[in-house]
Amino acid sequence: MMPDTPNHTAAPEAALMQAPEQALIQAPENALADHAALFALLDRWVARGWLRSLDRAFAAFLHREASKGHEVSEASPLLLLAAALASHQLGRGHVCLDLAQTLATPDLALSLPPEGDSLEDPPPLPSRVMATLDLDAWRAALAQPELVADGPGSTPLVLAGTAARPRLYLRRYWQHEQDIHTRINERLDSPCRSSALLRDGADRRPMDPATLRPILDALFPNRGDAPQAIDWQKAACALAGRSRFAVITGGPGTGKTTTVVRLLALLQALALGEGQGEGEDEGKQALRIRLAAPTGKAAARLNESIAGQVAKLDLAGLADDPERLREVIPKEVSTLHRLLGSRPDTRRFRHDRHNPLPLDVLVVDEASMVDVGMMAAMLEALPPRARLVLLGDKDQLASVEAGSVLGDLCARAEGGHYTPATAEWLFDATGQPLPANTLDAGGQPLDQAIAMLRVSHRFTADSGIGQLAAAINLDAEPAAKRRAITTALTAGFADLSHLRLSADDERSLARLAVTGCPERFPSAKTADAPPVGYRHFLSVMAERRPADDADQEAFDDWARAVLSAHGHFQLLCALRRGPWGVEGLNERVRQALEQEKLIDSQDGRQRWYPGRPVLVTKNDYGLGLMNGDIGITLDMPRPGSMPGDGSRRLLRVAFPATDGTGRIKWVLPSRLQAVETVFAMTVHKSQGSEFTHAALVLPDAPNPILTRELVYTGITRARHWLTLVETGRGQLMDAAQRRVMRVSGLGS
């Protein structure tokens, strides 16, 4: 089988390196018919950063391979261009190349413009190159069986979709989509029976809603005798209780974790009460349930939340022995990589269809961050009769890698689309009728397995954060959406501050980073936890440091206090480069903190210094650190040093353990190979995290990465206080109108 991506950069043939550059500039369409002109064009795109060298190498690989053993046949330049662009889409989060969409908006097929591009003397744009190209000609050029198939096979490319909307895939990603489709549909076609909760797999009776009703009523007691609106958390538990595949989606504060804790109690209560009179030992066997999240940070947060809610859960009336039931509700959360068993230097995992996971139920939080490859691997590793429950916010940013699986699955979640049969079953299980606007006689099987939580318990009507997030997500005409955003920003909400900065306003930026500008929040003085900046955690670090002769427990307590204080404030940004990106903001904040004498990096000459917060950017299983973990650099007494000898201190980076135990992991800076300073972090990296006060900094120039999903995700990282920072003329309104449109076949 020919690989779908090369492992090396293919060297171009000598003839291709001698393409006339001037002729290409004068007639860019030559690249559609001449190999030399095409590769000259690709070279210019790569040099400019519009295309990856990997994408160009893939096209060269196909050009070579197509000619092996074929004297006449060779890959058309149109095919090679499509291959390079299809490869490039993976780096931009798309699973495939939509040919019709590319012809309609050719310049969106490349990374235009990359950060820091001056756009001087640009190469020919795709819109010029493809000006004369039509869909029929492009599709016809892909009719080369050695390289392109329309389904299973060994070709490196797959052409799928319809004649009007053809999609070109690299084979591996086409296979990922097929596997996800197949395995989800298998679970939807095989609804849970009561006995599915047992490991023996015997079918004895279908899932009866009357079996769920008393447990659900106990878990979700009515408050008073007055008629109430539907409790979507209760409905979500019921739907997930009858299906081998379920999705629970909702925004921040809608109770996704609360719902899943009660779902786990429901499933374990059914399992422990199953089969009475038919073999007590078998019937009372608890389920093997595993909890997972895409990143270490998300796993740690879910771990803490789950443990707290299980401890407070009222289980009276659910079981003869409520404490035994509480004990079998899992509280430990692992990362998906650890759960599946990552293998170094390979995409494969230890658990797969030949070695399935030993579990009965898998719950995955922050599912919006799961890419198409990880979702396929996870589904492959599930035993056939196991349940899968996905939790996540469909409106958040999709995964960094290719795919937007949760968004594709939840494309119809807003409307419900529940069939009359589902509505009747839900009424019998919950005693609550579904709203009429969520009913659809033509609802699809997937719709019946998705529940959307619609009431936020964190962001109420008087929350500016909630109102702004809702305005950003509003599906309305541009003028109406602008009015909604403006109203949220100017209504004087107590938890929201709108700050405008110019490029040279270092003083205001410094004040925000150091203090958090509490004076901009009307109720800050009376708040239990007022908005703060980075001075807060650095003051905790300085003031609460134990004496050098203190024991290890005292230093662990200190580290826990500093890490907790650090979570009270975080600068978030959209980009990595530029003055308003991660690189620029980290340096500007470091200078501001140094000027305030809160840190001492010797004017940036020291990479490591007390108070430096760092973000892990790559999983390190040897150290037990995951991508997204945050640690703080602290000074510890050197072993054997005398008390009070400050010169004998040693720097260590303190990380919180991600197993919910509250332990502190101390790591030598020299052992950390993939970390970066995190006074500022990208919104992408912040997913799975929350901060008491978040400051979202938008750049001063348009950029394709600025989308409604990015702004919404950044806004909802703030738990209690949000500072929205616009720079230059402001990009908020434009970003709110631009949606992430990831190309895939899952939503079709």
Side-chain angles (χ1 to χ4, degrees), residues 41-53:
L41 175 68
L42 297 183
D43 285 336
R44 292 202 62 192
W45 284 351
V46 169
R48 199 58 179 248
W50 295 1
L51 192 74
R52 301 178 302 175
S53 58

Side-chain angles (χ1 to χ4, degrees), residues 80 199 212 305 343 390 477 482 556 563 585 594 720:
L80 299 178
R199 300 181 197 173
L212 299 180
S305 180
R343 291 177 170 176
L390 302 180
E477 293 297 319
R482 286 174 179 269
D556 286 351
L563 286 163
L585 284 172
E594 187 128 31
H720 296 303

Side-chain angles (χ1 to χ4, degrees), residues 609-633:
Y609 50 86
R612 181 194 178 197
V614 294
L615 175 77
V616 177
T617 58
K618 184 179 180 181
N619 292 344
D620 188 328
Y621 294 101
L623 294 176
L625 297 176
M626 298 292 111
N627 185 2
D629 287 353
I630 292 179
I632 307 292
T633 311

Side-chain angles (χ1 to χ4, degrees), residues 6-17:
N7 295 323
H8 58 279
T9 302
E13 289 80 353
L16 297 181
M17 298 185 65

Side-chain angles (χ1 to χ4, degrees), residues 135-180:
L135 184 61
D136 290 339
W138 207 1
R139 191 173 56 242
L142 298 177
Q144 186 158 352
E146 300 94 339
L147 300 178
V148 185
D150 60 2
S154 59
T155 59
L157 296 169
V158 177
L159 187 64
T162 64
R165 296 301 297 265
R167 301 188 305 271
L168 185 66
Y169 291 82
L170 275 66
R171 173 162 295 282
R172 174 160 31 98
Y173 290 87
W174 176 84
Q175 191 62 58
H176 287 334
E177 277 198 357
Q178 298 305 303
D179 292 344
I180 292 170

Side-chain angles (χ1 to χ4, degrees), residues 360-388:
D360 303 302
V361 181
L362 175 61
V363 177
V364 180
D365 193 23
E366 297 290 353
S368 63
M369 301 167 65
V370 181
D371 62 85
V372 67
M374 176 59 79
M375 185 66 72
M378 184 174 66
L379 286 164
E380 180 188 18
L382 283 179
R385 301 190 66 81
R387 297 173 184 262
L388 173 63

Side-chain angles (χ1 to χ4, degrees), residues 359-695:
L359 53 77
D360 303 302
V361 181
L362 175 61
V363 177
V364 180
D365 193 23
E366 297 290 353
S368 63
M369 301 167 65
V370 181
D371 62 85
V372 67
M374 176 59 79
M375 185 66 72
M378 184 174 66
L379 286 164
E380 180 188 18
L382 283 179
R385 301 190 66 81
R387 297 173 184 262
L388 173 63
V389 180
L390 302 180
L391 299 176
D393 186 343
K394 68 180 181 62
D395 295 316
Q396 276 192 26
L397 278 169
S399 60
V400 175
E401 303 297 330
S404 55
V405 180
L406 187 71
D408 289 339
L409 294 175
C410 295
R412 289 159 53 91
E414 197 83 38
H417 299 282
Y418 298 115
T419 64
T422 296
E424 181 180 357
W425 187 94
L426 265 178
F427 181 79
D428 292 340
T430 66
Q432 299 174 335
L434 282 169
N437 63 354
T438 65
L439 303 181
D440 179 1
Q444 301 170 2
L446 178 61
D447 298 326
Q448 318 312 304
I450 296 176
M452 180 175 170
L453 308 181
R454 300 160 190 263
V455 179
S456 176
H457 303 282
R458 182 192 309 171
F459 301 137
T460 56
D462 60 351
S463 166
I465 300 173
Q467 294 299 313
L468 182 59
I472 294 295
N473 267 346
L474 186 66
D475 287 320
E477 293 297 319
K481 188 163 187 172
R482 286 174 179 269
R483 284 195 299 272
I485 294 172
T486 300
T487 298
L489 291 175
T490 58
F493 287 109
D495 59 348
L496 177 60
S497 170
H498 184 208
L499 179 62
R500 293 186 180 274
L501 296 180
S502 60
D504 57 354
D505 193 353
E506 294 297 329
R507 180 177 299 179
S508 295
L509 174 64
R511 187 163 60 249
L512 172 64
V514 173
T515 71
C517 296
E519 69 277 2
R520 299 185 61 87
F521 295 89
S523 61
K525 291 183 179 180
T526 59
D528 293 334
V532 297
Y534 288 130
R535 173 183 284 159
H536 175 62
F537 96 87
L538 292 169
S539 297
V540 170
M541 181 188 75
E543 295 167 5
R544 296 183 59 177
R545 187 187 186 281
D548 285 348
D549 58 351
D551 59 17
Q552 186 60 47
E553 185 176 350
F555 280 96
D556 286 351
D557 289 341
W558 173 51
R560 275 188 283 270
V562 175
L563 286 163
S564 175
H566 179 263
H568 286 207
F569 178 71
Q570 183 63 56
L571 274 178
L572 303 175
C573 54
L575 310 177
R576 292 202 56 81
R577 300 175 185 168
W580 302 110
V582 165
E583 295 174 3
L585 284 172
N586 270 325
E587 176 59 19
R588 295 164 75 184
V589 172
R590 182 201 63 76
Q591 293 176 8
L593 296 174
E594 187 128 31
Q595 191 168 13
E596 292 289 325
K597 302 189 183 307
L598 294 169
I599 60 172
D600 181 12
S601 68
Q602 298 184 22
D603 293 328
R605 294 189 298 274
Q606 290 290 343
R607 183 186 179 208
W608 292 101
Y609 50 86
R612 181 194 178 197
V614 294
L615 175 77
V616 177
T617 58
K618 184 179 180 181
N619 292 344
D620 188 328
Y621 294 101
L623 294 176
L625 297 176
M626 298 292 111
N627 185 2
D629 287 353
I630 292 179
I632 307 292
T633 311
L634 300 172
D635 59 332
M636 300 282 289
R638 190 182 296 270
S641 63
M642 298 295 293
D645 184 5
S647 64
R648 298 284 294 170
R649 291 179 180 176
L650 193 66
L651 293 180
R652 293 284 192 275
V653 184
F655 291 92
T658 58
D659 55 7
T661 61
R663 294 182 299 107
I664 294 296
K665 187 175 300 182
W666 296 92
V667 182
L668 275 170
S670 59
R671 299 191 65 192
L672 295 170
Q673 303 302 314
V675 295
E676 60 185 27
T677 302
V678 71
F679 289 124
M681 72 163 65
T682 63
V683 174
H684 275 92
K685 287 290 187 182
S686 74
Q687 285 184 271
S689 301
E690 289 179 349
F691 309 97
T692 307
H693 177 200

